[in-house]
Amino acid sequence: MIRIFIADDHVMFAEGLESMLADEPDFEICGRARNAADTIKEVPRLLPDVLLLDINLPDQSGLDVCKKLRTDTPDVKILALSMHNDESYISAMLSLGAQGYVLKNTGKVELCTAIRALAEGKTYFTQEVTDTMMQSLMRERKAGVAKEPPKISRREKEVLKLIMDEQTTQEIAKHLFLSEKTVESHRAALLAKLGARNTAGLVKAALQWKILND
Amino acid sequence: MEDIKRLSSINRLHVALACRIGIAFILLVTPLVLPAQEGFEDRLKFTEIQDLLGEGIAKRDVRKQALGWYLWAIYRENETANRDSAFQYLARSVDLFAKTKDTVAYQRARAELATRLSERGKADEALKMQQEALDYFRKTGNNRLEILVLAQMARVYQMQGDTAQAQVMKKAFRDKGRLLKDTLLLINVFMDEVVQLQASQEYRNAISFAFRVLELAQQSRRQEFVNWAEYNIGLLYVQQNDKQMALRFLRRAERSATTAYDPIRRDVYRHLSSIYSEMDSLSQALEYARRYIELGDTLLNRDRLAISHRLAIQFSEKERSREMAVMSKEIAAIEAAQKEQRNFFYAILLFFGAIILAMFFIVRDYRHRLYTNRVIAEQNEKINLQTIQQLEDALRIESMQSMLEGQESERRRVAHDLHDSLGGLLAVTKMRLDNLSGKIPELDKNEEFGKIKDLLDDTITETRQISQNLQPGSLHQFGLMKAVRDLTTRVRGEGVPVIDFQHFGSFTDIDHTVALNCYRIIQELLQNSLKHARATEILVQLTRTDGELALLVEDNGVGYDPETVKKGMGTGNLSQRVQFIKGDINIQSAAGQGTSTMVTVPLN
C-alpha cells in the first residue's frame, strides 16, 4: 500500500485527483492540505510514502515546502505536480529534493506510474519535462568550455575587430556610436565567451576560433 | 651769337696753329650742329633756366629738372669756364634723365658728361660712355646726335694725344656731315677740311675748300664765315706765295671783318704789312704795321677787359649761387607747404577713415547685439521647450508607469485565474476523463472520445502558455536570467529557429520593475523575430557589467528598415518600456541582413 499526501490549494483539482487515485487498489490517500503551512505541519506527522506537491501554494511556494521537508522528512518522496513546464522550476524542485516532476495535465496512467516509481525509490519525469530539461541543457552554452566556436553576436564582432585594430574603448564607442559602458559590456561578454582574461587573450582566442574570418 | 664769339675768342688764342684751329672748330661746331631736340638747343638766359628748374622741382617734372640742370651746366661753363661745377650739374642731369626713360636725352647728356670726364683723366671711361651713345644713335638712325658724339669723341682722342684715332673720328664726322644737307653743317665740315689740308700743307686743295666755304657763307649770308673764308684764302695764298691773290683776299677780309676789334683783323693787318714790305711797298707796309700794333694794344686791352669781365661774371656767379640757394629754399618752402597740405589731406583722410571704421564697428556691434539677443531668445525658447519636454516626459513616464503597472497587475490577475482556476478545472476535467476511460474501456476505442481528450490536452497546454506569457512566474521566483532562459526554452518544435541563450554576469540583484520590463522587452523582441524574421537562428544575450545591463536579441532573418517599422505598434510599446527604464534602444537591421536589437539599461 502506497500512502499518498496531496498538497494543492485548488479544491476541485485536489478532489478530482483524490477520487481518481482512490480507484487504485495499492494507493491510500492519507492526507490533504490546501496551503504550505498545513503541509509542513501534517507531512512529518503522517509520514506518507509520496507527497504530491503543487508548486503554486497560496502562502508559500512549493519550493520552500520541498526544501523544508527534504531535511525534516527525507524519506518522504516528493512528486512535484505543476502547471509550470519551465526549466527553472523543474531544476529548482530537483535541486531541493523532489524525486519527480509531472505536469498537472498528465494522464491518470502516467501519474500512477510516477507515484509507483517514486515509492520504489526511483525518479520520474513526464516526457514534456524531460524535453524541457534537454532543451535547456542544449541551449545554454557555458562560457569557455564549448568545443565549438562560441556564438558571437554581430555587434561583438564589430567591437572585436576594432579591439584587434588596437583601438581604445573610447575610440570604439565613437566609431560605433555606442556609449563606453556598452562597449565595456561587449568586451566583458567577449572575454567571458572566449574565456579570455585580457585583450591579448581576446585576440588569441579570436584567431584560434577564426571568428573574424567570415 | 655767343658761340660765334667764343669761336672768335678761341681762334684768336690759337690762330697760329692751324691744327689747333681745327680742334677749336670741332669744339665750337658742336653747338652749331646740335640737331633739333626739344629744349637742348634753347640758349636760355639765367632767369629762364632758373624758372625752368624751379618749375621742374615744383611740379616734380623730372625731365624739366634734368633739362634745367643740363642747360645750367652748359650756361655756367660758358659763363665762368668752370668745368668742374659743369661736370657735377651734368652728372645730376644724367641721373634725372635716366629716370625719365628718355634714352635719347640720357645718352646725349651722358656723352656730354663723358667729355668732361675725360678732362678729369678718365678718358677710357669717357670713351666707353661715348661709344655707347654713338652705338645707340647709330642704331636709332639719329644722324645729328651721332655727329655730335663723333665730334666729342674726336675731341677726347685729341686730348689724349691719339691723333690717328681723332682723325678717324673726324673723318667719320665729316662723312656724316656731308650726307646732311645742312648749310651750316656743311660750312663747318668744309672749314674742318680746310684746317686739315692746311695742316698737311695741301694748300691748293685747302684753297678750293676755303672757296666752297666762302660760297656757302655768302649764300647763307653768314658774315663771320665769309670773313673766316676770305682770311684763310688770303693766308693760303701767302703760303702759295701768290702775293696778288693774298693781298686781294686779305683786303677783302679786312673789309668783311665783323667788328673793329677783331683778332682776325689784327692778323690780316700783320700779313698785309709783311706782304707790302715784301712787295717793297713800304709806306703801305708801315701803315698796316701801325694798324696792327694799335689793334694789338686794343685787343690786349680788350683781353684785360675780358678778364675783368670774367672776374665780374664769376663774382656775379656767387651772387647767383646765393640766389640759387634762396630759390632752393623757396622750393623747399613750397615743398614744405605741399607736404603740409598733403599731411592735412592725410589727416582728413585718417579722420574720415576713423569715422567710417567707428561706424562699421558700431553697426557690427549693434548687429552682434541683435544676433546675441536673438540667440539668447532662441536659447530661452529652447530651454523652455526642453522644460516642457521634460515635464511632458515626466508626465508620460508617470502615466506609462501606472499604465504598465496596471497592465502587469491585470496580467497577474488574469494569469493567476487562468493558471489556478481554469488550469485546475481543466486538469480535473482531464483527470476525470481519464478515470472514465479507465472504467469504461470501450470509450478509448471511440474516435470522438480520443479527439476530445486531445483537444483537452491542447487546451491545457494553451492555457498554460497564455498564463506563462502573462505572468512570468519564474521571474519573481528565480530572477531575470532564469526567466529569460525559460522563455527561450519554451520555443521549440518543428520549423522553429534555433535559439541560443547566453548570459554574462550576475542578475540576481536587479530591481524587479527593471527585470520585469527587461523580460517583457526580450519577450517582445523574441516574438518579433519569431513572427516576422523567418530566421533560422536567434541569439538572446544578457550582459551585466558594473553600471549597465545589456539585452541583445539578434536574428539572421529577413531584416527590415528600422525607419519604416519604428512606428509600428510592437516597437512603439517596446520603446515605451525602454524609455520607462531609462534605457537606450539600438536597432541594426537591413533587408536580408537580419536584425540585431540591443537595449542597454543603466543600473544604479
Side-chain angles (χ1 to χ4, degrees):
Chain A
M1 188 63 72
I2 297 167
R3 299 176 69 242
I4 299 165
F5 189 97
I6 299 172
D8 197 316
D9 65 329
H10 202 286
V11 182
M12 273 212 275
F13 178 77
E15 278 177 359
L17 196 62
E18 195 180 332
S19 69
M20 191 177 71
L21 294 176
D23 290 348
E24 296 300 311
D26 52 340
F27 289 172
E28 185 205 328
I29 309 297
C30 67
R32 254 173 66 189
R34 288 180 62 186
N35 56 46
D38 287 351
T39 310
I40 290 165
K41 202 169 76 189
E42 289 300 310
V43 168
R45 192 176 62 83
L46 296 169
L47 285 173
D49 294 315
V50 176
L51 168 63
L52 295 184
L53 180 63
D54 183 14
I55 291 172
N56 280 52
L57 291 173
D59 48 353
Q60 285 178 76
S61 164
L63 298 167
D64 298 327
V65 177
C66 190
K67 194 178 176 184
K68 179 97 177 85
L69 293 181
R70 186 73 210 134
T71 46
D72 290 358
T73 57
D75 290 338
V76 178
K77 314 291 186 223
I78 300 171
L79 178 63
L81 195 60
S82 172
M83 285 287 281
H84 298 291
N85 184 17
D86 284 331
E87 185 270 339
S88 54
Y89 280 99
I90 299 164
S91 46
M93 285 302 282
L94 294 187
S95 65
L96 290 172
Q99 282 82 12
Y101 196 111
V102 291
L103 297 177
K104 278 192 178 176
N105 61 334
T106 306
K108 180 190 170 185
V109 181
E110 199 179 355
L111 183 61
C112 294
T113 312
I115 291 169
R116 286 191 188 101
L118 258 66
E120 284 168 24
K122 293 174 190 164
T123 56
Y124 189 90
F125 304 99
T126 328
Q127 187 57 45
E128 284 167 285
V129 170
T130 316
D131 285 353
T132 303
M133 292 300 287
M134 292 312 292
Q135 186 94 355
S136 174
L137 282 172
M138 263 165 53
R139 289 187 185 174
E140 189 186 359
R141 292 205 171 101
K142 288 277 180 194
V145 286
K147 285 282 176 269
E148 56 179 300
K151 179 98 178 169
I152 308 285
S153 77
R154 288 196 286 276
R155 289 161 188 279
E156 284 158 1
K157 274 184 192 170
E158 287 175 350
V159 173
L160 187 58
K161 256 178 211 162
L162 294 172
I163 286 173
M164 289 180 79
D165 284 347
E166 293 180 36
Q167 294 213 21
T168 64
T169 302
Q170 272 181 327
E171 288 166 344
I172 295 169
K174 209 173 164 188
H175 197 269
L176 297 179
F177 304 103
L178 297 172
S179 77
E180 284 181 38
K181 271 186 187 167
T182 304
V183 174
E184 279 305 320
S185 294
H186 284 311
R187 201 182 145 81
L190 280 167
L191 287 170
K193 281 184 187 181
L194 297 171
R197 279 165 53 207
N198 50 34
T199 306
L202 269 187
V203 173
K204 190 179 150 198
L207 293 172
Q208 185 198 326
W209 294 115
K210 298 185 170 66
I211 286 164
L212 299 179
N213 284 12
D214 46 71
Chain B
M1 278 311 286
E2 273 174 0
D3 305 313
I4 302 304
K5 263 189 212 158
R6 198 165 174 197
L7 165 80
S8 52
S9 82
I10 293 178
N11 257 348
R12 183 192 66 226
L13 293 170
H14 307 290
V15 74
L17 293 163
C19 67
R20 290 186 79 172
I21 293 171
I23 296 167
F25 265 109
I26 294 164
L27 262 173
L28 295 163
V29 157
T30 314
L32 288 176
V33 295
L34 283 180
Q37 188 181 7
E38 200 194 334
F40 284 88
E41 277 65 60
D42 299 341
R43 285 287 165 266
L44 297 179
K45 291 191 183 108
F46 174 81
T47 48
E48 287 170 335
I49 296 174
Q50 235 183 11
D51 289 347
L52 183 70
L53 264 174
E55 205 183 327
I57 293 167
K59 291 187 177 167
R60 305 184 167 276
D61 185 334
V62 181
R63 200 192 135 76
K64 262 188 186 154
Q65 288 180 43
L67 188 63
W69 289 119
Y70 178 88
L71 294 174
W72 177 243
I74 302 295
Y75 175 84
R76 263 184 71 99
E77 199 172 60
N78 289 339
E79 286 294 304
T80 65
N82 186 347
R83 300 181 81 80
D84 224 39
S85 58
F87 174 79
Q88 280 161 18
Y89 293 131
L90 273 176
R92 191 180 296 184
S93 175
V94 169
D95 284 348
L96 290 168
F97 274 129
K99 282 186 197 162
T100 62
K101 312 256 193 278
D102 180 351
T103 320
V104 176
Y106 167 72
Q107 290 293 3
R108 179 174 182 167
R110 202 150 166 265
E112 201 75 55
L113 179 68
T115 309
R116 273 59 169 189
L117 196 65
S118 75
E119 288 167 13
R120 303 172 147 227
K122 293 193 174 167
D124 290 347
E125 211 172 308
L127 284 168
K128 222 171 100 189
M129 281 161 73
Q130 287 174 335
Q131 189 63 47
E132 204 178 297
L134 186 68
D135 291 346
Y136 175 75
F137 292 134
R138 268 191 188 147
K139 203 175 72 192
T140 53
N142 196 332
N143 291 323
R144 289 171 177 276
L145 287 179
E146 191 186 329
I147 288 167
L148 169 69
V149 176
L150 280 169
Q152 283 172 336
M153 286 177 81
R155 196 167 134 195
V156 172
Y157 278 123
Q158 195 69 53
M159 277 190 289
Q160 283 293 103
D162 188 347
T163 322
Q165 201 59 37
Q167 289 302 329
V168 171
M169 287 295 141
K170 276 182 215 159
K171 187 167 186 313
F173 158 72
R174 280 197 302 274
D175 294 347
K176 210 73 196 172
R178 278 200 203 92
L179 287 176
L180 295 170
K181 301 264 180 265
D182 186 314
T183 315
L184 210 57
L185 192 68
L186 267 177
I187 289 171
N188 278 281
V189 169
F190 291 148
M191 282 162 83
D192 191 53
E193 294 285 352
V194 172
V195 172
Q196 294 298 328
L197 290 166
Q198 209 171 7
S200 53
Q201 301 185 339
E202 291 174 56
Y203 302 118
R204 200 167 286 280
N205 283 339
I207 288 170
S208 85
F209 273 106
F211 272 113
R212 286 163 80 173
V213 172
L214 183 62
E215 193 188 344
L216 286 168
Q218 281 166 343
Q219 274 172 18
S220 56
R221 294 165 197 280
R222 298 296 287 261
Q223 196 59 34
E224 67 271 24
F225 294 118
V226 171
N227 179 235
W228 184 89
E230 284 169 351
Y231 166 68
N232 274 282
I233 291 167
L235 217 57
L236 285 164
Y237 278 124
V238 171
Q239 299 287 342
Q240 289 277 70
N241 241 339
D242 188 340
K243 293 193 176 67
Q244 285 307 315
M245 288 304 281
L247 207 58
R248 193 172 142 202
F249 278 96
L250 286 171
R251 298 282 300 262
R252 273 176 72 174
E254 182 193 356
R255 281 193 300 276
S256 64
T258 44
T259 53
Y261 310 104
D262 194 309
I264 290 179
R265 189 188 284 272
R266 188 190 58 175
D267 284 342
V268 167
Y269 288 157
R270 183 167 65 86
H271 285 293
L272 280 172
S273 169
S274 68
I275 291 168
Y276 278 125
S277 74
E278 279 175 32
M279 288 167 72
D280 298 327
S281 182
L282 287 176
S283 65
Q284 296 273 52
L286 196 66
E287 171 62 20
Y288 279 107
R290 191 187 57 78
R291 283 192 197 173
Y292 166 71
I293 291 160
E294 267 178 18
L295 191 59
D297 287 347
T298 318
L299 281 176
L300 201 66
N301 284 339
R302 220 191 65 170
D303 277 352
R304 285 200 199 109
L305 269 172
I307 288 163
S308 67
H309 181 62
R310 189 172 297 162
L311 283 171
I313 286 173
Q314 277 180 350
F315 175 74
S316 71
E317 172 64 19
K318 276 182 189 158
E319 285 292 303
R320 280 169 191 174
S321 297
R322 215 168 293 140
E323 276 176 44
M324 282 291 272
V326 171
M327 190 181 72
S328 302
K329 269 185 198 162
E330 275 171 9
I331 289 166
I334 289 167
E335 277 190 335
Q338 280 176 345
K339 205 170 162 189
E340 210 168 294
Q341 273 182 358
R342 262 204 311 276
N343 286 347
F344 181 66
F345 175 71
Y346 287 149
I348 296 264
L349 207 68
L350 207 69
F351 176 69
F352 280 111
I355 285 182
I356 288 166
L357 210 66
M359 275 167 75
F360 169 73
F361 279 118
I362 288 167
V363 168
R364 204 183 65 167
D365 183 58
Y366 180 69
R367 284 178 62 183
H368 182 71
R369 218 175 288 170
L370 277 183
Y371 174 74
T372 314
N373 285 344
R374 205 176 65 225
V375 168
I376 289 170
E378 273 173 9
Q379 273 177 349
N380 281 341
E381 203 175 330
K382 214 187 262 179
I383 289 166
N384 285 341
L385 280 175
Q386 260 176 3
T387 316
I388 291 167
Q389 186 74 40
Q390 277 169 359
L391 286 171
E392 277 180 350
D393 283 353
L395 207 66
R396 205 166 59 225
I397 287 171
E398 216 170 281
S399 68
M400 200 169 15
Q401 190 170 8
S402 50
M403 193 266 287
L404 288 175
E405 274 173 4
Q407 206 177 41
E408 285 299 335
S409 79
E410 191 61 18
R411 280 179 180 182
R412 211 160 37 232
R413 196 181 62 75
V414 174
H416 188 265
D417 286 354
L418 274 178
H419 185 267
D420 288 5
S421 308
L422 191 61
L425 284 174
L426 285 169
V428 178
T429 310
K430 171 101 197 284
M431 233 178 279
R432 288 197 185 277
L433 216 56
D434 273 353
N435 212 8
L436 194 64
S437 68
K439 280 174 185 166
I440 311 164
E442 311 89 72
L443 269 180
D444 278 337
K445 288 162 194 151
N446 188 312
E447 200 180 318
E448 191 58 29
F449 185 75
K451 276 185 184 168
I452 290 171
K453 268 176 80 175
D454 287 345
L455 208 60
L456 190 59
D457 274 341
D458 288 347
T459 310
I460 289 167
T461 310
E462 194 64 29
T463 309
R464 186 166 58 232
Q465 288 282 352
I466 293 168
S467 156
Q468 276 165 337
N469 284 341
L470 283 172
Q471 169 70 6
S474 52
L475 181 72
H476 188 64
Q477 202 75 244
F478 307 109
L480 181 63
M481 191 277 280
K482 288 198 175 178
V484 173
R485 187 167 64 190
D486 287 344
L487 187 65
T488 60
T489 313
R490 253 175 251 147
V491 180
R492 65 176 97 161
E494 285 291 310
V496 160
V498 177
I499 300 179
D500 270 287
F501 173 62
Q502 297 181 324
H503 54 92
F504 305 97
S506 164
F507 304 90
T508 48
D509 62 333
I510 291 168
D511 173 75
H512 183 68
T513 312
V514 173
L516 179 65
N517 279 291
C518 286
Y519 179 85
R520 291 288 185 217
I521 287 163
I522 289 172
Q523 195 177 21
E524 191 158 338
L525 289 172
L526 190 58
Q527 211 62 247
N528 286 343
S529 281
L530 289 170
K531 266 192 206 163
H532 309 298
R534 299 206 292 278
T536 56
E537 279 178 44
I538 300 174
L539 173 69
V540 177
Q541 187 172 301
L542 295 177
T543 312
R544 165 76 191 275
T545 49
D546 283 348
E548 196 180 71
L549 178 62
L551 320 173
L552 176 82
V553 177
E554 198 172 279
D555 68 52
N556 65 347
V558 293
Y560 64 92
D561 179 2
E563 290 304 313
T564 56
V565 186
K566 216 171 198 172
K567 300 279 181 271
M569 185 52 205
T571 46
N573 192 20
L574 189 71
S575 59
Q576 267 193 350
R577 280 193 191 277
V578 174
Q579 204 179 348
F580 178 57
I581 53 176
K582 297 181 176 66
D584 257 325
I585 186 159
N586 180 301
I587 302 167
Q588 281 183 2
S589 185
Q593 293 188 4
T595 306
S596 173
T597 309
M598 188 168 70
V599 175
T600 51
V601 184
L603 298 175
N604 303 323

